[in-house]
Amino acid sequence: MKCRKCGEKAAFNMPHHKLALCREHYLEWLPEQTERTIHKYQMFTRRERILAAVSGGKDSLSLWDILWRLGYSVDGLYIGLGIDGGIQYSDESRRMCEIFAGERGLKLHVVDIPQTYGRNIAQLADATLRGAKKPCAVCGLTKRHVMNRIAREAGYDVLVTGHNLDDEAATLLSNTMNWIPGYLVRQGPVLEAGRPGLVRKAKPLCRFYERETAAYALLRGIEYIYDECPYAEGTKSIYFKEILNKMEADKPGTKLNFYISYLTAKNNGLFSSQADPELEMLHNCPTCGQATTAPGECTFCRLISKSSSNLENERC
Ligand code: Q46
Ligand code: ZN
Ligand code: ZN
């Protein structure tokens, strides 16, 4: 197969776009397409300060690299969850982020959860029923809180994450299967801040398949952590990804069509913002100042208080 642009041997083929490209042209193509996505959904401009949440994986490091190459003002944020899993998962992922930032001379904020809050993610999860089986719910809550906190404290205009099309399609399928109106209204390439205490969020890679971001990282020579988080196995997200992969194999383009058709339907008013009851209930947490729907303190602050009181009881 030959590169559509120069006729050299193609390094990567995208059947759903009927497009094959050589290494050089693929490494041009993905940033160009990312730039189009940024403009299309009015995510941010070159005058704004961007904070990229990086996990050491291929998606988030590719995103940071692409935005940096496109000339955006973008720093990184790594959140150390204190997960080992026999593979030193958190230590390794932090190392990847530090290597990446060091090679390019970019600023990386690091928040270590065990150091900051006295407990790792699994221990925080143990402090609440939410984490009874897996720590993912508590992990998600903690990451959202910390990302928003650092973005606000350090004065960033927008927080970007490396969610790809596979992630977004799986989330959409899950929300659709359960008809969760609030999530269906809010899912999308950009989530405006909406209220003081919240920062705008954007997902510039939301239209790219996971294999496209993986190809970018490999062809660009980005060192990233290959292992998944040890807690990822058996999650609902992986289950829906597997179903969508089967559909994609039968009909290339299925995931892209599913996601883009949803965005078009939403844009045409299929989902009313009245379907999002959370908007009405939002207020600012008296302890941390972040917007929350929980009555009184936000769920994260309550988690930390509960975990600290458990710790006190253990010490007694
Ligand atoms: S990092 Fe955290 Fe994921 Fe690991 S504990 Fe679950 S949510 S699987 S993106
Ligand atoms: Zn080429
Ligand atoms: Zn709070």
Side-chain angles (χ1 to χ4, degrees):
M1 199 164 291
K2 291 190 172 165
C3 171
R4 160 119 44 102
K5 295 206 172 166
C6 68
E8 291 292 314
K9 191 168 177 270
F12 191 58
N13 182 27
M14 293 170 281
H16 50 282
H17 290 314
K18 297 187 176 61
L19 180 65
L21 294 169
C22 68
R23 177 183 175 277
E24 183 196 335
H25 285 119
Y26 184 68
L27 291 178
E28 274 176 16
W29 181 84
L30 202 72
E32 278 166 15
Q33 296 299 313
T34 307
E35 183 80 291
R36 285 179 62 169
T37 307
I38 292 166
H39 283 289
K40 182 174 172 61
Y41 299 106
Q42 299 179 332
M43 293 181 168
F44 42 79
T45 65
R46 282 186 173 68
R47 285 188 303 278
E48 291 181 296
R49 290 183 67 222
I50 302 161
L51 182 64
V54 288
S55 66
K58 62 187 181 323
D59 300 303
S60 54
L61 290 183
S62 292
L63 173 62
W64 196 5
D65 185 69
I66 289 169
L67 296 182
W68 171 65
R69 284 180 66 204
L70 287 170
Y72 286 98
S73 158
V74 55
D75 297 337
L77 166 63
Y78 172 76
I79 301 174
L81 304 167
I83 296 175
D84 184 274
I87 51 171
Q88 299 183 315
Y89 175 73
S90 287
D91 290 347
E92 258 315 275
S93 49
R94 176 175 177 162
R95 199 171 68 83
M96 294 300 156
C97 295
E98 287 176 343
I99 291 174
F100 180 95
E103 283 172 354
R104 291 159 181 79
L106 294 172
K107 181 178 174 64
L108 176 70
H109 300 265
V110 174
V111 176
D112 185 83
I113 297 296
Q115 255 177 33
T116 313
Y117 299 105
R119 298 199 150 198
N120 64 29
I121 282 296
Q123 291 165 332
L124 281 176
D126 280 343
T128 158
L129 280 178
R130 288 175 70 128
K133 286 193 190 127
K134 272 188 178 282
C136 294
V138 162
C139 181
L141 172 73
T142 305
K143 286 191 288 192
R144 281 193 300 278
H145 179 90
V146 171
M147 289 189 289
N148 203 62
R149 175 170 72 80
I150 300 296
R152 280 174 66 206
E153 284 175 1
Y156 289 95
D157 299 294
V158 59
L159 175 87
V160 295
T161 55
H163 290 93
N164 58 42
L165 178 60
D166 295 53
D167 298 321
E168 292 302 290
T171 302
L172 179 58
L173 183 56
S174 172
N175 291 340
T176 307
M177 293 300 287
N178 294 299
W179 285 114
I180 307 176
Y183 289 179
L184 286 166
V185 171
R186 264 174 281 142
Q187 192 182 347
V190 185
L191 187 61
E192 285 301 334
R195 152 168 213 111
L198 282 179
V199 72
R200 188 189 333 145
K201 299 191 180 81
K203 303 170 186 171
L205 301 182
C206 64
R207 293 173 68 116
F208 302 116
Y209 283 85
E210 188 175 328
R211 63 184 287 273
E212 292 170 352
T213 57
Y216 180 86
L218 285 172
L219 294 173
R220 188 80 181 126
I222 295 172
E223 229 189 311
Y224 64 88
I225 182 160
Y226 290 93
D227 290 308
E228 289 268 3
C229 169
Y231 293 113
E233 206 186 318
T235 52
K236 205 166 63 173
S237 158
I238 296 222
Y239 172 72
F240 283 116
K241 279 184 181 175
E242 283 168 1
I243 293 174
L244 286 161
N245 283 345
K246 285 184 194 150
M247 295 168 80
E248 183 78 26
D250 289 339
K251 197 162 178 279
T254 298
K255 285 182 218 178
L256 189 59
N257 184 48
F258 179 47
Y259 184 61
I260 298 298
S261 304
Y262 153 75
L263 292 181
T264 307
K266 195 166 88 153
N267 204 27
N268 292 339
L270 180 65
F271 303 101
S272 150
S273 58
Q274 285 167 355
D276 189 357
E278 291 205 356
L279 274 181
E280 295 292 311
M281 294 151 60
L282 275 179
H283 67 96
N284 290 87
C285 168
T287 306
C288 70
Q290 290 202 18
T292 177
T293 53
E297 262 193 335
C298 74
T299 318
F300 181 76
C301 287
R302 278 189 282 135
L303 167 73
I304 295 302
S305 320
K306 195 166 176 190
S307 153
S308 319
S309 60
N310 286 0
L311 199 61
E312 286 302 314
N313 291 340
E314 281 168 25
R315 284 194 187 124
C316 291

